[in-house]
Amino acid sequence: MSVAHVDDEEPGPGEVRHVEKALPNGDFYTGEWCDSLPHGNGKYLWTDGCMYVGEWFKGKTMGKGKFSWPSGATYEGDFKSGFMDGKGTYTGFSGDTYKGNWVMNFKHGQGTKSYANGDYYEGEWRRGFQDGHGRYQWKNGNHYIGQWRNGLMNGNGTMIWSNGNEYDGLWEDGFPKGNGNFKWADGSSYVGVWSKDDKEQSGTYYPSDSQNGNLDWDPQQVFLEDLKDCKICPGEKVSIFPSQKMPNWPGMAKGNDGRQRRMSDGKLSSYSWGSYMNDFSAASEGDSRDEDEGGGSLHLEDSDTRGSCTEFKMPMKKQGQTISKGHKNYELMLNLQLGIRHSVGRPAPAISLDLKSSAFDPKEKVWTKFPPEGSKHTPPHQSCEFRWKDYCPVVFRTLRKLFNVDAADYMISICGNDALRELSSPGKSGSFFYLTNDDRYMIKTMKKAEVKVLIRMLPAYYNHVRSFENTLVTKFYGLHCVKLTGAAQKKVRFVIMGNLFCTDYAIHRRFDLKGSSHGRTTAKPESEIDLTTTLKDLDLNYIFRLQKLWFQEFCRQVDRDCDFLEQERIMDYSLLIGFHFQEVSTSYHENEGAPQLSQLGKDQLLIDPSRWSSIRLGINMPARAEKTVRKSDCEAQLVGEPTGVLYDVILFFGIIDILQDYDISKKLEHAYKSMQYDPTSISAVDPKQYSKRFRDFIFRIFVEDT
């Protein structure tokens, strides 16, 4: 070991020594040093008073360490590439203390927090907020035990006041909403439906055996008085994150050889990502960042074009053909828009999430006649006369509320001035697909048999999506039918669904995966495969690495969704996956120990942390895709061998095509194909076998990123 100053001669490659370095910007480092970077144990002192003491790896804080702020706040625990990531304890300058799990600077996972005002929380966190199951204790003795979402009481939970009173039931955004039971310490109770809107409030008071003292009690008192002292403490804000303080070590930057970077369209760019980051750094309390790490361009070199990373041109052209006047389905589109506007816009009673069984009755449908001249309930229009049918309207109105769909936005998306777009060709089933102009919703024409399946499974579907907000199954928003009058008497049934790929990101690759091999390849020449092509199982040449907590949640939800589909005798469904490449590939050894986001992705999170709020299971998820190669072209090898070449990606995925039950036609298809092919390779199999094969395959292509 030797002691050196910044201008001392550098040692040979791989040699570790002890140094004391006074940096040109006034910062100071003392500790172990290797290949011109901190590597091992070391201490870094910034000129603004921030300090880090702990382990380093190739110039970044990695492992165990302690970061101190000038205010007196400290974080002690695990670091990963500069981020607070793993287990650690943050002690704020005001006395707030959080001890638990972290992911990329956010409280995420199990953790406890003691607030400076005396409050205390113990339970699950997500992206910095209480989310999941937890217990909050106020300093006045009140406490809540139950479900949370985005930092507020949400779902099933129990509030117990220090005076012995208790509310047990449903919550929404921090207040009782839905079925609940309020009990007094003397044994009397009030049972009913709760809402801040007293018009929606209804219930029954049950006095105790001892006295009738609460007969005049108003349930709104819970909102106006009892919950006044039950506010969730916001806690202390972190002034600047350790990852934002990482120094710019000479020689650490990638691509700093002075060469221009090649953009995704093949052109050379003189744009400096570093200069943009400098603007951000200047506003971040003296933050010093690696100017050249990451990149604003996308150029993924690969000779294999089928399912591989080629040069992607952006922005993407929108899919489909706009349905304008003269299009064969123009009048059908007008009819659909008129019907949706009528269904969604008509007055309806307040929505309760607790639906009566009669709402799911197959006979629960409403026919409306639309003459061109208009009627008492319908406007005049330029299309031909038609009849409009709403299936189970109360159920689908409630589903839209459950999925947080605003009625006005829904109507504007589907019925606004912008036309729908028809996708180029019908699917294998013969159904046509239409997209709204804002890409939020997809409209699919349906066979009568599919409508029957959806209505049959609707009660179980409703209970499932209500119970599991992270469900991956398709979100259904409406089920309708247009019947044209006249000689044709044509009926067109259709369902409105969420579009999985509604995003500002370009979807560079998309796959429809079933876990079977027979016929599961794209019947297109390589020259015709583009960003809109949906590839299949035998085209897949990636596995997807998810951060630990996301991977665990993914496995749990796939199991729940497959159990639900199996119980409903559904088969032939798929996992639809789309992903966006963030930057050029790097091999595994170059990324050893790095978090799951690229430098570009991390910088975007630092600039706009609100992006975390848009991340859900299957939506906008940062991950890593690892390239795979099959040893042979045989169908037996569905999943290739990992190559160690990884890409930072944004993932979108969900379970689609969930309306095929195992009916007589599928049983005959299974019997016929089993005589010609390996029975395990075909898609049409018993729902139980299908579910097992599907899960086995999905859990091989999604793995934990270690």
Side-chain angles (χ1 to χ4, degrees):
M1 293 285 184
S2 61
V3 176
H5 291 281
V6 76
D7 55 350
D8 283 4
E9 184 180 344
E10 293 294 324
E15 182 182 337
V16 179
R17 59 173 182 160
H18 189 277
V19 301
E20 292 181 357
K21 285 192 174 286
L23 301 175
N25 63 358
D27 294 351
F28 182 80
Y29 174 80
T30 177
E32 291 176 295
W33 190 263
C34 180
D35 295 337
S36 303
L37 296 169
H39 189 77
N41 286 299
K43 174 180 176 181
Y44 193 103
L45 182 64
W46 284 265
T47 53
D48 64 2
C50 290
M51 182 174 68
Y52 172 80
V53 180
E55 296 175 304
W56 295 76
F57 182 83
K58 295 182 179 179
K60 297 237 176 141
T61 55
M62 185 87 72
K64 301 289 185 185
K66 182 177 181 180
F67 190 94
S68 306
W69 285 262
S71 63
T74 62
Y75 169 83
E76 188 167 6
D78 296 331
F79 285 83
K80 201 172 185 182
S81 286
F83 289 83
M84 301 184 288
D85 197 301
K87 292 188 180 297
T89 300
Y90 175 85
T91 304
F93 64 86
S94 66
D96 279 7
T97 301
Y98 171 82
K99 183 177 183 180
N101 289 308
W102 299 76
V103 173
M104 297 187 71
N105 294 337
F106 287 90
K107 305 176 189 73
H108 195 97
Q110 288 290 331
T112 61
K113 182 160 184 176
S114 300
Y115 295 86
N117 69 350
D119 292 355
Y120 178 83
Y121 174 82
E122 179 179 13
E124 294 177 290
W125 297 75
R126 189 172 177 182
R127 299 186 301 276
F129 294 101
Q130 297 96 332
D131 202 303
H133 189 271
R135 176 179 181 272
Y136 194 102
Q137 174 91 36
W138 283 266
K139 61 181 177 182
N140 59 14
N142 300 342
H143 66 274
Y144 169 86
I145 304 172
Q147 294 296 313
W148 296 75
R149 186 168 65 187
N150 294 330
L152 296 171
M153 298 169 281
N154 206 98
N156 280 302
T158 302
M159 173 74 76
I160 302 174
W161 282 266
S162 57
N163 62 7
N165 292 348
E166 175 182 324
Y167 170 83
D168 181 30
L170 293 172
W171 297 74
E172 186 177 287
D173 297 334
F175 295 97
K177 183 68 182 290
N179 289 331
N181 181 11
F182 189 94
K183 301 176 187 174
W184 283 267
D186 63 14
S188 53
S189 63
Y190 175 90
V191 180
V193 177
W194 293 74
S195 174
K196 287 178 73 176
D197 184 350
D198 58 359
K199 295 177 183 177
E200 298 178 7
Q201 180 88 36
S202 64
T204 304
Y205 174 75
Y206 297 93
S208 65
D209 295 334
S210 59
Q211 52 91 29
N212 299 323
N214 298 308
L215 284 172
D216 296 329
W217 178 77
D218 181 359
Q220 290 297 306
Q221 182 180 325
V222 172
F223 301 97
L224 300 174
E225 297 295 333
D226 296 354
L227 290 172
K228 281 175 63 176
D229 295 327
C230 297
K231 304 293 185 186
I232 308 302
C233 182
E236 181 183 305
K237 301 287 186 185
V238 178
S239 59
I240 189 168
F241 292 109
S243 54
Q244 294 173 271
K245 299 293 292 180
M246 285 302 96
N248 178 21
W249 297 106
M252 185 177 169
K254 294 184 177 74
N256 60 349
D257 52 6
R259 292 179 293 181
Q260 292 173 303
R261 297 182 183 272
R262 189 171 295 276
M263 300 295 285
S264 59
D265 59 1
K267 297 177 182 178
L268 291 172
S269 170
S270 59
Y271 170 77
S272 168
W273 178 255
S275 64
Y276 173 64
M277 289 311 300
N278 280 342
D279 294 339
F280 167 62
S281 300
S284 299
E285 300 182 32
D287 177 22
S288 174
R289 300 187 60 82
D290 185 342
E291 294 185 6
D292 293 304
E293 192 171 354
S297 62
L298 174 69
H299 179 209
L300 307 176
E301 297 179 0
D302 200 307
S303 58
D304 180 11
T305 59
R306 180 182 288 269
S308 65
C309 308
T310 55
E311 288 191 358
F312 297 112
K313 297 182 179 182
M314 293 185 288
M316 278 182 58
K317 182 183 176 183
K318 286 193 171 184
Q319 272 186 283
Q321 178 188 1
T322 299
I323 303 176
S324 52
K325 197 164 187 178
H327 190 283
K328 63 178 182 178
N329 287 325
Y330 178 69
E331 285 207 347
L332 179 63
M333 180 191 75
L334 293 182
N335 296 346
L336 186 155
Q337 292 177 322
L338 284 164
I340 294 291
R341 193 178 291 118
H342 171 76
S343 298
V344 179
R346 67 175 170 230
I351 295 175
S352 167
L353 297 182
D354 299 309
L355 295 177
K356 297 177 180 178
S357 58
S358 59
F360 297 94
D361 190 324
K363 297 176 183 176
E364 186 70 16
K365 49 197 173 189
V366 179
W367 278 105
T368 306
K369 190 176 180 180
F370 280 78
E373 66 275 12
S375 69
K376 183 178 179 181
H377 302 290
T378 63
H381 59 88
Q382 297 178 344
S383 181
C384 61
E385 182 174 312
F386 68 95
R387 294 180 72 200
W388 172 264
K389 183 196 284 188
D390 269 330
Y391 295 90
C392 301
V394 174
V395 177
F396 285 102
R397 191 184 309 128
T398 311
L399 281 170
R400 292 194 292 271
K401 176 181 172 64
L402 195 63
F403 296 141
N404 296 315
V405 173
D406 179 78
D409 290 343
Y410 185 70
M411 281 198 290
I412 289 169
S413 291
I414 301 173
C415 315
N417 294 329
D418 295 314
L420 302 177
R421 304 196 311 277
E422 183 179 75
L423 298 191
S424 56
S425 62
K428 182 181 174 184
S429 64
S431 297
F432 283 84
F433 293 86
Y434 305 93
L435 278 172
T436 56
N437 190 63
D438 58 8
D439 288 332
R440 285 188 182 182
Y441 304 105
M442 182 173 282
I443 300 165
K444 175 190 175 185
T445 61
M446 300 178 74
K447 296 177 181 177
K448 188 174 182 179
E450 290 179 305
V451 172
K452 286 184 174 180
V453 171
L454 179 52
I455 291 175
R456 172 184 63 75
M457 66 186 283
L458 199 52
Y461 173 84
Y462 179 80
N463 289 332
H464 183 76
V465 298
R466 185 181 178 186
S467 300
F468 305 109
E469 70 167 331
N470 281 334
T471 182
L472 299 174
V473 299
T474 304
K475 288 181 169 63
F476 295 121
Y477 300 115
L479 182 61
H480 312 281
C481 176
V482 169
K483 183 179 180 181
L484 303 178
T485 57
Q489 293 285 302
K490 181 182 177 184
K491 279 186 179 180
V492 182
R493 303 170 184 88
F494 55 90
V495 66
I496 302 176
M497 310 177 289
N499 177 22
L500 198 58
F501 300 147
C502 177
T503 174
D504 291 332
Y505 289 110
I507 301 296
H508 295 131
R509 277 293 176 262
R510 57 190 77 203
F511 292 90
D512 179 294
L513 305 172
K514 293 180 183 290
S516 57
S517 57
H518 176 65
R520 298 297 295 162
T521 187
T522 302
K524 271 189 176 183
E526 292 183 1
S527 60
E528 294 181 18
I529 293 175
D530 57 23
L531 302 194
T532 65
T533 303
T534 300
L535 302 168
K536 299 181 181 178
D537 300 66
L538 293 176
D539 305 312
L540 180 67
N541 51 355
Y542 297 95
I543 59 174
F544 303 99
R545 297 183 172 276
L546 301 181
Q547 188 270 335
K548 181 178 179 180
L549 292 170
W550 280 121
F551 177 70
Q552 292 172 345
E553 191 170 347
F554 171 77
C555 292
R556 285 194 297 268
Q557 195 56 53
V558 168
D559 279 334
R560 291 168 183 150
D561 290 339
C562 287
D563 286 343
F564 157 68
L565 294 171
E566 183 182 327
Q567 288 163 12
E568 293 301 308
R569 302 290 293 164
I570 301 296
M571 41 77 68
D572 215 19
Y573 44 88
S574 307
L575 186 75
L576 182 63
I577 302 177
F579 52 94
H580 166 86
F581 291 102
Q582 293 203 85
E583 60 170 30
V584 297
S585 67
T586 52
S587 63
Y588 188 77
H589 66 272
E590 290 174 336
N591 263 312
E592 185 178 355
Q596 285 66 41
L597 287 178
S598 65
Q599 183 62 38
L600 174 58
K602 288 184 284 189
D603 291 341
Q604 288 170 335
L605 277 182
L606 292 171
I607 297 166
D608 183 15
S610 64
R611 180 184 149 193
W612 275 90
S613 65
S614 65
I615 298 174
R616 289 286 183 271
L617 187 66
I619 301 173
N620 206 30
M621 285 185 64
R624 295 200 293 176
E626 182 171 0
K627 197 73 181 290
T628 61
V629 175
R630 289 184 177 82
K631 291 181 179 178
S632 65
D633 292 331
C634 70
E635 292 186 358
Q637 191 184 13
L638 267 180
V639 182
E641 301 295 325
T643 62
V645 177
L646 292 107
Y647 304 94
D648 290 324
V649 297
I650 301 295
L651 277 181
F652 300 82
F653 53 82
I655 297 175
I656 63 168
D657 296 337
I658 64 169
L659 298 179
Q660 178 60 61
D661 62 353
Y662 196 53
D663 58 11
I664 186 65
S665 66
K666 285 296 178 181
K667 290 176 182 177
L668 290 172
E669 180 185 341
H670 173 75
Y672 174 72
K673 288 186 175 179
S674 295
M675 292 187 289
Q676 297 180 299
Y677 310 103
D678 177 0
T680 62
S681 72
I682 61 179
S683 179
V685 295
D686 175 85
K688 188 170 185 178
Q689 183 184 344
Y690 192 96
S691 173
K692 182 180 184 305
R693 184 180 66 188
F694 180 81
R695 288 187 235 202
D696 290 346
F697 175 64
I698 296 304
F699 293 150
R700 289 176 64 199
I701 62 170
F702 280 83
V703 297
E704 182 182 336
D705 196 345
T706 55

